[in-house]
Amino acid sequence: MNFDEIKNKASEVLEQHHEQVDAGIDRAAEFVAGRFGHEEQVKSVAEKAKDILPGGE
């Protein structure tokens, strides 16, 4: 399996399960913000991450 095949498969999985991925990003962002503060910056990065992933809006 080459890199392009792996990348395409990962993209397919992310598109199919984007709601779970988004929820995971939100949970990670909450953890980081709770642990280190900077809630607005963490929230901004989380939203940008969700936007660039396949299936993001």
Side-chain angles (χ1 to χ4, degrees):
M1 187 175 261
N2 66 32
F3 178 76
D4 287 332
E5 291 172 330
I6 294 169
K7 179 183 149 217
N8 291 338
K9 184 63 178 171
S11 291
E12 288 174 21
V13 170
L14 287 171
E15 285 179 29
Q16 292 171 356
H17 301 285
H18 69 89
E19 291 175 358
Q20 290 101 335
V21 173
D22 287 354
I25 291 172
D26 289 337
R27 284 192 300 271
E30 288 175 20
F31 172 78
V32 170
R35 182 89 177 208
F36 301 105
H38 307 285
E39 184 173 341
E40 288 305 312
Q41 288 110 337
V42 171
K43 206 181 264 189
S44 175
V45 170
E47 289 304 315
K48 288 177 185 176
K50 291 190 287 188
D51 288 344
I52 63 170
L53 290 174
E57 320 230 345

